[in-house]
Amino acid sequence: MAAPGEEEDVMARYRSPLVSRYASAEMGYNFSERKKFGTWRRLWLYLAQAEKSLGLPITDEQIQEMEANLDNIDFKMAAEEEKKLRHDVMAHVHTFAHCCPKAAAIIHLGATSCYVGDNTDLIVLRDGFNLLLPKLARVISRLADFAEKYADMPALGFTHYQPAQLTTVGKRCCLWIQDLCMDLQSLERARDDLRFRGVKGTTGTQASFLQLFEGDHSKVEELDRLVTAKAGFKRAYMVTGQTYSRKVDIGVLSVLASLGASVHKICTDIRLLANLKEIEEPFEKDQIGSSAMPYKRNPMRSERCCSLARHLMTLVMDPLQTASVQWFERTLDDSANRRVCLAEAFLTADIILSTLQNISEGLVVYPKVIERRIRQELPFMATENIIMAMVKAGGNRQDCHEKIRVLSQQAAAVVKQEGGDNDFIARVRADPYFSPVHKQLESLLDPSSFTGRAPQQVAKFLKEEVRPALIPYQSKLGGKIDLAL
């Protein structure tokens, strides 16, 4: 620590790269000390306002004093108080009271620490979702534009990472979009399912508030409702211990982990396609791919997404284990763990969405490479079409099958053993047996005839499922991402 009066050298201390290097300023602020403690003060204000409206002897002057000092936080004093008291909430009660001497007697009246702690966490989680959802919608929008542009472009499909039937570039992209649309729906549901802890007291029984209101249950219920509404929530959890159930955190991090899995799959596909030289992520004019190999164009953005997505997926284990060991009404071994995993999950999700948006805004397609790979594999895929055409021309199906089997194996040997191009069609053209279909070979080998309903599926999917899902975010879909790192 720096000595009093000395400027601290921030470069001499560890800083989480999630904040210092990656995540947005907005998400960084959402999990900042200023947001946290400013929210604590607002919650104390909401409580005092509601208690006053229900008849407790709280004055307008006290309320106004609190309102005037919501962001007047002496962080140095709070740190000194916490060092002395070993209690963060009481340290901030004293710090707030110091600048609100008239309101000091009624700050935190009837409340327990989790009134500010847990309720602030729920506000921050909700606000975190509200930051992530437009970013996810922008990624989906960019990929939808890409899918629409390349809906008809044939591309070699892969199963087991082995050549399979053709698809289209746009159809493959729709596989990515569909996963992200599921994530969009899951994040919306998780946000909307969040409730407020509310005003519940030390073990969740509201006993302290019942005493304040001299046994009037209706006023205690109204107090809970009023504070919940002031915090922007429609509902509060009806029952809590000292904390809200930690299963809530499981639900929150589960949907973020699922998003991480989607992004990892998408960016792995892009990395594989980059190796095939079919599609690449954006690569700036002066960007260096390798310090040793100047020709390299490494897919570093996609690699970053995969790297961070793996971290995001593992974080769900923290709330799973925390929820399982919360004894009775609460135990404090949740606190330190939650300070880390909740923030890191949202910060990590934030940067992978920003990076994926940057990728999706600059994807580069190489049609000639895609066409060449199709030419290498399509002749084998066209064998059934050739057999059917020969049978229609009067040939024998079994004889034709045997002829094609021999020719295809010869062509495969050229590709695998000699490193040559697939010459199967040239062999068919040279064989008089296939003369009845020689004029049809060009049409039988048209790649677009092998993509099935892929273009129609893309159009229908984008129109009926994707575009409608983006309507709530329409005003936030603009703006490109330019990553500095």
Side-chain angles (χ1 to χ4, degrees):
M1 296 290 290
E6 292 183 5
E7 185 177 348
E8 184 180 356
D9 181 4
V10 296
M11 302 307 290
R13 299 184 65 189
Y14 172 79
R15 295 182 298 160
S16 169
L18 291 175
V19 174
S20 65
R21 185 175 178 90
Y22 296 132
S24 67
E26 295 79 9
M27 191 62 80
Y29 174 75
N30 190 51
F31 287 92
S32 69
E33 300 285 90
R34 186 167 295 281
K35 167 78 177 273
K36 175 181 177 178
F37 297 128
T39 304
W40 283 13
R41 291 193 174 189
R42 282 161 177 79
L43 287 168
W44 283 320
L45 173 65
Y46 301 155
L47 180 63
Q49 289 173 328
E51 288 174 337
K52 177 181 183 298
S53 71
L54 290 170
L56 292 189
I58 296 172
T59 67
D60 288 339
E61 191 175 23
Q62 288 172 317
I63 296 294
Q64 290 165 5
E65 189 179 52
M66 293 173 73
E67 289 175 333
N69 287 281
L70 291 176
D71 297 308
N72 179 26
I73 303 174
D74 187 337
F75 288 99
K76 183 178 179 181
M77 178 182 178
E80 291 170 351
E81 287 287 327
E82 184 173 354
K83 186 176 180 179
K84 179 174 64 177
L85 301 172
R86 307 298 294 176
H87 197 289
D88 56 349
V89 173
M90 286 310 299
H92 278 269
V93 168
H94 288 188
T95 303
F96 196 18
H98 180 75
C99 59
C100 299
K102 295 174 183 176
I106 56 92
I107 292 172
H108 199 65
L109 183 59
T112 186
S113 298
C114 286
Y115 166 69
V116 289
D118 270 31
N119 283 324
T120 292
D121 286 345
L122 290 162
I123 289 170
V124 168
L125 295 179
R126 177 197 63 193
D127 294 351
F129 278 127
N130 285 334
L131 290 172
L132 290 180
L133 281 163
K135 293 193 172 194
L136 177 53
R138 282 196 290 272
V139 172
I140 293 171
S141 175
R142 304 304 189 269
L143 291 175
D145 292 342
F146 179 86
E148 188 171 50
K149 180 177 180 180
Y150 295 101
D152 299 329
M153 180 179 286
L156 185 63
F158 292 93
T159 58
H160 314 275
Y161 201 37
Q162 301 299 314
Q165 289 186 350
L166 300 193
T167 183
T168 70
V169 173
K171 170 63 191 304
R172 175 178 284 143
C173 183
C174 284
L175 298 178
W176 306 338
I177 295 170
Q178 181 168 248
D179 286 352
L180 294 176
C181 283
M182 292 179 188
D183 293 318
L184 186 74
Q185 187 178 52
S186 295
L187 264 65
E188 289 173 338
R189 186 186 304 115
R191 177 199 60 188
D192 296 343
D193 282 349
L194 286 175
R195 301 188 192 185
F196 202 52
R197 177 192 177 271
V199 183
K200 297 297 193 299
T202 53
T203 58
T205 65
Q206 298 178 305
S208 58
F209 297 104
L210 191 63
Q211 184 177 359
L212 278 175
F213 289 103
E214 298 179 346
D216 191 330
H217 290 268
S218 63
K219 284 191 174 182
V220 175
E221 288 188 7
E222 181 64 4
L223 178 70
D224 203 0
R225 189 196 67 78
L226 285 173
V227 175
T228 297
K230 287 177 180 291
F233 286 81
K234 295 179 180 178
R235 297 180 299 170
Y237 295 107
M238 293 186 70
V239 294
T240 71
Q242 190 171 93
T243 68
Y244 68 79
S245 170
R246 295 311 184 217
K247 283 187 71 68
V248 174
D249 296 341
I250 296 174
V252 169
L253 264 65
S254 290
V255 298
L256 296 180
S258 182
L259 171 65
S262 299
V263 174
H264 200 296
K265 184 266 192 294
I266 292 167
C267 290
T268 299
D269 282 357
I270 292 172
R271 291 163 67 189
L272 293 170
L273 289 167
N275 173 260
L276 297 174
K277 297 181 174 59
E278 292 191 7
I279 291 179
E280 286 182 345
E281 64 178 39
F283 197 91
E284 273 76 31
K285 177 177 176 289
D286 296 322
Q287 183 175 333
I288 295 174
S290 167
S291 61
M293 296 168 281
Y295 61 88
K296 293 288 290 294
R297 291 171 65 95
N298 299 332
M300 66 89 168
R301 292 169 174 82
S302 297
E303 290 172 318
R304 176 188 297 172
C305 283
C306 289
S307 181
L308 290 170
R310 286 199 297 275
H311 177 59
L312 179 55
M313 288 186 281
T314 65
L315 288 172
V316 72
M317 290 305 300
D318 278 336
L320 281 168
Q321 295 184 65
T322 295
S324 72
V325 295
Q326 286 301 286
W327 303 344
F328 304 112
E329 280 65 46
R330 81 90 42 102
T331 176
L332 196 61
D333 67 347
D334 63 337
S335 179
N337 185 284
R338 294 176 70 252
R339 287 175 191 266
V340 176
C341 71
L342 296 179
E344 287 204 354
F346 279 87
L347 291 164
T348 306
D350 179 73
I351 185 55
I352 63 176
L353 286 176
S354 294
T355 308
L356 187 55
Q357 180 184 336
N358 176 259
I359 293 169
S360 61
E361 287 172 348
L363 285 173
V364 181
V365 178
Y366 295 106
K368 296 298 183 184
V369 178
I370 294 173
E371 290 170 11
R372 183 178 185 278
R373 185 156 284 109
I374 290 174
R375 286 197 304 271
Q376 287 290 315
E377 303 294 341
L378 189 61
F380 294 145
M381 298 176 194
T383 54
E384 186 175 4
N385 288 7
I386 295 172
I387 291 173
M388 294 301 102
M390 282 293 295
V391 171
K392 288 180 181 178
N396 179 284
R397 194 264 178 199
Q398 308 311 326
D399 293 342
C400 184
H401 182 279
E402 178 59 19
K403 285 275 190 181
I404 286 179
R405 185 186 70 81
V406 172
L407 295 181
S408 62
Q409 289 187 2
Q410 291 171 351
V414 171
V415 173
K416 294 178 180 179
Q417 297 174 20
E418 301 176 19
D421 291 335
N422 189 331
D423 63 359
F424 172 73
I425 296 301
R427 293 174 185 274
V428 171
R429 290 187 188 280
D431 192 326
Y433 174 81
F434 293 100
S435 59
V437 299
H438 281 169
K439 292 182 180 180
Q440 300 178 48
L441 286 177
E442 187 172 343
S443 62
L444 291 174
L445 288 165
D446 179 4
S448 63
S449 67
F450 289 82
T451 59
R453 299 192 63 256
Q456 290 75 22
Q457 288 177 347
V458 171
K460 185 178 179 66
F461 174 59
L462 296 180
K463 179 181 178 182
E464 297 186 10
E465 294 197 25
V466 180
R467 303 296 186 191
L470 298 178
I471 290 174
Y473 307 97
Q474 208 63 47
S475 64
K476 299 181 179 180
L477 294 181
K480 284 197 168 188
I481 289 285
D482 182 18
L483 294 181
L485 295 170

